[in-house]
C-alpha cells in the first residue's frame, strides 16, 4: 500500500517565491513521468524526509495535488551541503503494471562465525539491482551471514530471485567475504630488535 503525501501546486517560479516556500518548510518539486505533463509543486520537507526514512527510497508514494493523485517514486533530490536541508525533489510517476529496474539495499543479518574467530568482514556490495513491478519492489534484501567461516564468501549467485522480483546483478559479484586476519606487526618488530642488538654489540667490540 502506497504512503500518502500532500503537495501544493507551485505556479510562481520566481526566486523570491521559491525562497519563500523553503523558509516556510516546503521543498520545491517537479512531477513527471508516465502519462503526465510535468508539474511544479511543493511538499512539506519534514513529511518527505520521514517518508523516505520510514518507507525507503523505493517507496511508492500517493502524491495528492489539489484533487489529483499521482503514484510516484522519489527519483532524485538535492540537499544544501551547508544547511543540510532539502532544496529540491523530483517525483517520477510510475506505471503500476509495468516492471522497472531499481537498486535495493542489501542488509547483512547475524554474526559470522569467522568474525568471532578473528576474521575481518568485508562488504563490497551494498545495493542489488532488481526488476519488479512498483508494488513488488522489496524495501531491502536480507543476507544471513551467521554460517560464514574465515575465507568464505557470499556471491550474488548464492541468492535466489524473489517471488515477485528478478535479480539483475552479475552473478559473480561478491556481496560479503570474511578475510583472514592480519598478523600482529608488534611481534615482528620485537623479533627484529632482538636480532639487531648483537650486531650493535659486535660493532662496539670491534672498535675496542
Amino acid at each position: 500500500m502506497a504512503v500518502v503525501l500532500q503537495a501544493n501546486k507551485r505556479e510562481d517560479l520566481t526566486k523570491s517565491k521559491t525562497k519563500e516556500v523553503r523558509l516556510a518548510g516546503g521543498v520545491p518539486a517537479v512531477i513527471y513521468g508516465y502519462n503526465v505533463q510535468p508539474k511544479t509543486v511543493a511538499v512539506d520537507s519534514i513529511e518527505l524526509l520521514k517518508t523516505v526514512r520510514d518507507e525507503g527510497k523505493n517507496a511508492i508514494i500517493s502524491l495528492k495535488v489539489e484533487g489529483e493523485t499521482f503514484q510516484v517514486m522519489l527519483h532524485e533530490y538535492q540537499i544544501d551541503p551547508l544547511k543540510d536541508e532539502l532544496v529540491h525533489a523530483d517525483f517520477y510517476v510510475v506505471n503500476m503494471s509495468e516492471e522497472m529496474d531499481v537498486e535495493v539495499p542489501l542488509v547483512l543479518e547475524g554474526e559470522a562465525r569467522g568474525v568471532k574467530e578473528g576474521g575481518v568482514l568485508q562488504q563490497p556490495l551494498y545495493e542489488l539491482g532488481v526488476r519488479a513491478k512498483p508494488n513488488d519492489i522489496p524495501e531491502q534484501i536480507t543476507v544471513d551471514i551467521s554460517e560464514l567461516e574465515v575465507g568464505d564468501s557470499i556471491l550474488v549467485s548464492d541468492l535466489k530471485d524473489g517471488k515477485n522480483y528478478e535479480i539483475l546483478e552479475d552473478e559473480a559479484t561478491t556481496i560479503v567475504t570474511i578475510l583472514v586476519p592480519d598478523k600482529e606487526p608488534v611481534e615482528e618488530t620485537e623479533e627484529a630488535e632482538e636480532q639487531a642488538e648483537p650486531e650493535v654489540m659486535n660493532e662496539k667490540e670491534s672498535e675496542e
Side-chain angles (χ1 to χ4, degrees), residues 127-142:
E127 291 187 320
L128 191 69
V130 305
R131 177 173 294 153
K133 292 181 179 179
N135 275 334
D136 295 329
I137 297 171
E139 183 177 340
Q140 64 184 37
I141 294 176
T142 304

Side-chain angles (χ1 to χ4, degrees), residues 114-172:
V115 171
K116 295 178 182 178
E117 297 169 0
V120 179
L121 184 146
Q122 187 178 70
Q123 184 182 356
L125 191 66
Y126 287 87
E127 291 187 320
L128 191 69
V130 305
R131 177 173 294 153
K133 292 181 179 179
N135 275 334
D136 295 329
I137 297 171
E139 183 177 340
Q140 64 184 37
I141 294 176
T142 304
V143 180
D144 185 2
I145 63 170
S146 55
E147 300 297 320
L148 291 184
E149 304 281 359
V150 174
D152 287 349
S153 298
I154 293 179
L155 307 179
V156 171
S157 59
D158 296 317
L159 304 181
K160 293 181 174 61
D161 289 339
K163 182 179 179 182
N164 297 313
Y165 65 83
E166 174 190 355
I167 295 174
L168 303 177
E169 208 75 42
D170 186 338
E171 291 189 348

Side-chain angles (χ1 to χ4, degrees), residues 30-208:
V30 176
I31 302 172
Y32 65 97
Y34 175 70
N35 204 26
V36 64
Q37 291 294 322
K39 301 178 183 297
T40 52
V41 298
V43 297
D44 185 271
S45 175
I46 294 176
E47 288 300 316
L48 178 56
L49 287 171
K50 184 176 183 298
T51 299
V52 175
R53 184 184 67 238
D54 295 347
E55 307 295 332
K57 68 175 186 177
N58 292 323
I60 301 302
I61 301 171
S62 287
L63 194 63
K64 294 187 175 295
V65 187
E66 301 178 11
E68 292 184 279
T69 301
F70 303 93
Q71 302 302 315
V72 304
M73 293 177 68
L74 180 60
H75 182 257
E76 191 175 339
Y77 58 90
Q78 298 172 11
I79 294 180
D80 185 326
L82 298 178
K83 298 180 181 179
D84 195 28
E85 296 176 352
L86 277 171
V87 295
H88 186 81
D90 286 352
F91 292 104
Y92 182 76
V93 180
V94 297
N95 182 349
M96 299 300 290
S97 62
E98 188 175 280
E99 291 182 330
M100 58 188 304
D101 298 348
V102 295
E103 297 289 326
V104 176
L106 278 168
V107 177
L108 304 185
E109 182 179 65
E111 185 178 2
R113 291 179 182 176
V115 171
K116 295 178 182 178
E117 297 169 0
V120 179
L121 184 146
Q122 187 178 70
Q123 184 182 356
L125 191 66
Y126 287 87
E127 291 187 320
L128 191 69
V130 305
R131 177 173 294 153
K133 292 181 179 179
N135 275 334
D136 295 329
I137 297 171
E139 183 177 340
Q140 64 184 37
I141 294 176
T142 304
V143 180
D144 185 2
I145 63 170
S146 55
E147 300 297 320
L148 291 184
E149 304 281 359
V150 174
D152 287 349
S153 298
I154 293 179
L155 307 179
V156 171
S157 59
D158 296 317
L159 304 181
K160 293 181 174 61
D161 289 339
K163 182 179 179 182
N164 297 313
Y165 65 83
E166 174 190 355
I167 295 174
L168 303 177
E169 208 75 42
D170 186 338
E171 291 189 348
T173 303
T174 300
I175 296 173
V176 60
T177 186
I178 308 299
L179 303 176
V180 177
D182 293 332
K183 294 181 180 179
E184 291 292 336
V186 177
E187 296 179 3
E188 296 178 0
T189 303
E190 290 176 351
E191 290 178 4
E193 288 177 352
E194 290 175 1
Q195 293 175 359
E197 284 181 3
E199 295 179 4
V200 175
M201 293 296 292
N202 291 336
E203 286 177 5
K204 287 183 178 180
E205 289 174 2
S206 60
E207 288 175 0
E208 294 175 355

Side-chain angles (χ1 to χ4, degrees), residues 8-28:
N8 298 314
K9 287 183 179 179
R10 189 169 59 94
E11 296 177 352
D12 187 344
L13 305 181
T14 60
K15 289 185 178 180
S16 59
K17 188 62 178 180
T18 299
K19 183 178 180 180
E20 186 179 316
V21 169
R22 293 191 179 114
L23 288 174
V27 179

